[in-house]
Amino acid sequence: MTKKKQEDQKGQETEKLSEWQKRNKEYLEKKAQEEAEKEKELAEQKKQHLPNPEKLDAGEEDEKPEVTSDTQKAESEDLEESTSTEFSEEEQDKPLDKTDLRKKKKAERKQAKQNEKETREKIAPRHVYRALPVLILSSVLLILAVYFISPYSKLKNIEVTGNKQLSKTEVLEASSIQKEDYTLTTYLSQKAHAKNIKQSNLWAEKAEITYRFPITFKIKVTEYKVVAYDYSGEQYFPVLSSGEEIANPVTKSQLPKSYIRLDFSDKAMLKKFVRQLAGISDTIKSEIQTVQHTPSKATEDLLTLMMTDGNKIIVPLSEVAKKLPYYEKIKPQLTEASIVDMEAGIFSYRIS
């Protein structure tokens, strides 16, 4: 009964073992059997050579249990190793939990950073310094290329100030600034555009263009003043302080309360008179009502000036700036409407 129970227990243990453990056990048993056979053969060989077979048998009997015990130890160790190996394989097959995964990823990132740092440290500083100018130049060229390709390179905000007679559209047309022009080229051509405004329009005395980052251009225009009006064909044409006459006439309603009316058939003489008038005080200019070209036999460029106070001045065009200022000293001496003759010397007489 005891043997049967032991066999049943062995059978149950065998069933509990895995397929790999079964094969391992069979292998160990086979190996133990082979070793036992070898021992048996060795014992027989020794028995043949030994004179006392009884002692040899006794020695064999003593050695057999030792071999058996060693074999059992080896079998148990192999069994433990196989079991532990199987357990380790099973453990490897188990999926890692979230904590282990985080730790693993963290370790990988740390290792990657360390490798990257080591790679950077390996680059000598002198190589970096040599490459730096090339990198900077390449970056600048790339930025400029992207900028000029984009529509932002042509954005412009243009402000016009100081214009009274000229409209903003007229100033922009005179400047030759186009909508398609790049902001950079407009900035580089500021003086040229300002010169265009002055040269292409009679009203413009001076033009200045200033730039304010990022896209604003301010055009400041200084216009010539209107010093007189040329009366021709029952129309009034503005005459500017530059001596130029504007081709567009103005209506009577547009005329100021007090103004100088010019009556010149020769436009060159008109321009010369305006230039001479620039040296005259505003007090005298405000009293001039009309200016006519009235040549005499002796003086071809003789002018007749009618004043608002009723006095009349006769003066050569070439001597207006020189002699006309004396009128301020002569006027207080005149008690009635008089003619101040400045053609040859300066004297006055009553208008008859």
Side-chain angles (χ1 to χ4, degrees), residues 280-287:
I280 306 302
S281 66
D282 292 338
T283 305
I284 296 176
K285 283 192 286 188
S286 64
E287 293 181 7

Side-chain angles (χ1 to χ4, degrees), residues 209-350:
I209 300 177
T210 55
Y211 170 73
R212 187 170 69 247
F213 185 83
I215 58 170
T216 302
F217 292 90
K218 188 175 181 180
I219 302 175
K220 185 180 179 181
V221 179
T222 304
E223 296 178 343
Y224 285 110
K225 293 180 179 179
V226 178
V227 295
Y229 290 89
D230 183 21
Y231 182 72
S232 177
E234 297 184 356
Q235 289 182 318
Y236 294 88
F237 297 89
V239 178
L240 306 179
S241 56
S242 62
E244 298 292 339
E245 183 178 317
I246 301 300
N248 299 324
V250 297
T251 61
K252 282 188 177 182
S253 60
Q254 292 176 313
L255 293 170
K257 289 182 179 180
S258 61
Y259 61 92
I260 300 173
R261 192 183 77 178
L262 304 178
D263 189 1
F264 286 91
S265 57
D266 189 346
K267 300 301 178 185
M269 289 184 68
L270 184 148
K271 186 178 286 188
K272 189 175 181 180
F273 171 75
V274 171
R275 289 176 182 173
Q276 291 277 332
L277 201 63
I280 306 302
S281 66
D282 292 338
T283 305
I284 296 176
K285 283 192 286 188
S286 64
E287 293 181 7
I288 299 173
Q289 191 171 8
T290 62
V291 180
Q292 288 180 307
H293 179 215
T294 55
S296 65
K297 292 180 180 180
T299 309
E300 180 63 29
D301 63 345
L302 192 65
L303 303 178
T304 300
L305 283 67
M306 289 298 298
M307 311 302 284
T308 55
D309 55 9
N311 295 324
K312 185 187 292 185
I313 301 173
I314 300 172
V315 60
L317 175 61
S318 57
E319 295 182 333
V320 169
K322 181 181 178 181
K323 291 184 175 181
L324 197 58
Y326 288 104
Y327 179 70
E328 283 187 278
K329 295 179 180 179
I330 296 170
K331 181 183 176 181
Q333 301 173 12
L334 303 174
T335 57
E336 54 185 348
S338 304
I339 296 173
V340 180
D341 193 338
M342 298 181 179
E343 183 179 3
I346 299 174
F347 60 93
S348 63
Y349 51 90
R350 184 173 60 85

Side-chain angles (χ1 to χ4, degrees), residues 111-124:
Q111 185 63 33
K113 286 181 180 179
Q114 185 67 25
N115 294 338
E116 187 179 351
K117 187 177 179 182
E118 289 176 359
T119 305
R120 285 200 301 267
E121 288 175 353
K122 287 177 183 177
I123 300 172

